[in-house]
Amino acid sequence: MLNEPVSAEDLLVSLAPPKHFAASSFDTYRLDPEFPSQLRVLEVLRSFVAGDVSPGFFQRMFGQRIFGSVTPGRGIYLDGGFGVGKTHLLAAAFHAFEGKKAYLTFQELMFLVGLQRLDKTLESLSEYRLLALDEFELDDPANTRIASTLIGSLMNRGVDIITTSNTPPGSLGRDRFSTEDFKRELSGLAERFSDVEIDGNDYRQMAVSSTQISSWFKPDAPPTEIESHIKAHHLSLTFASLRKLLGSAHPIRIRQAIAQFESLLITDLTSFDHPHDALRFVYFIDKVYDCDIKLTTTSFLTPKEMFPESIVTGGDKKKYMRTESRLLELTNFGH
């Protein structure tokens, strides 16, 4: 299965929030009273999915412009740090929206374009009224142009788009590109969205209680203690074999393969010496998190030490920080 060719249908078959966010709603979002921006974003998203396009909030985007007979789609850009609940809110908006809708990550959107070309992807997604796009990232110039063209065309066809990111829209691509051409591409894309900032603390670190048991073990931990964390339907891998697997199979196949397991044991984690291997692991941990798979690890390193400063640079830095945050939650590291 892992070595079988990947088709667009593998991605299009399920365009809904992953298991971890399957029950997310506006009502279950945990507001922190110390950060008023969290209540504001709830109000904005409730109005957005209800179709309340008040002149005040969205006027600066499109006003009354019409493309042919189609009212252009609206855009919301959820900007905030790690662990403030952006993906929860994105999934909540998806569930609350009454109409044909699609949910996928930015990486999966790029996979889709690679599998069926830009024009076919535009055709596939134009049938939806809402596109929920998680973790907007611009990794290279080609993706910059593809994202700008595709999202602009979808909105011209009346598709509403909500996306999340850890970078304000006017700063997309910063530390990556310097040419004026790409600055114009990024500026044009940013103008299509209303930027809604979310402040707050990383709930993943706050939620880890001293009463919870860590599943991030040192390699010399008693085997029986490690085994107590493994569920019946589990997968065990050495870190070396995992890296080899991630380098030989398409990420979509990896996602499909791990979804069937309840728990995962990865032994002998070490640091990365090449960004390609590290970024494959970043995507892998995202899918482990999305699928609610219980993670147990053995390593003499901390999650942060897995990603040396030599590779944690530029536009990818926030990806590694997100992975570190998710590893802390998945394993209750240090408790």
Side-chain angles (χ1 to χ4, degrees), residues 273-333:
D273 52 15
H274 197 287
H276 289 172
D277 287 340
L279 289 173
R280 292 188 189 105
F281 183 74
V282 164
Y283 180 82
F284 176 75
I285 292 300
D286 282 344
K287 298 308 113 180
V288 171
Y289 183 83
D290 287 346
C291 294
D292 275 343
I293 298 172
K294 181 179 177 60
L295 178 63
T296 303
T297 62
T298 68
S299 177
F300 285 116
L301 304 178
T302 67
K304 184 178 181 64
E305 290 170 341
M306 291 184 62
F307 306 108
E309 289 297 324
S310 59
I311 66 172
V312 182
T313 58
D316 291 330
K317 184 175 182 177
K318 290 188 171 80
K319 297 181 185 180
Y320 297 122
M321 293 172 65
R322 181 183 74 236
T323 300
E324 180 188 346
S325 176
R326 288 184 166 180
L327 282 171
L328 290 171
E329 179 183 1
L330 285 166
T331 63
N332 294 322
F333 177 80

Side-chain angles (χ1 to χ4, degrees), residues 29-31 35-42 45 76-90 163-166 195-201:
Y29 180 67
R30 292 175 290 183
L31 286 168
F35 298 96
S37 62
Q38 295 184 5
L39 178 59
R40 177 176 177 269
V41 74
L42 271 179
L45 288 174
I76 289 285
Y77 199 107
L78 301 179
D79 166 45
F82 303 104
V84 298
K86 298 185 305 298
T87 302
H88 179 111
L89 289 167
L90 180 68
T163 186
T164 71
S165 180
N166 300 293
D195 181 21
V196 183
E197 296 183 3
I198 314 172
D199 300 313
N201 297 312

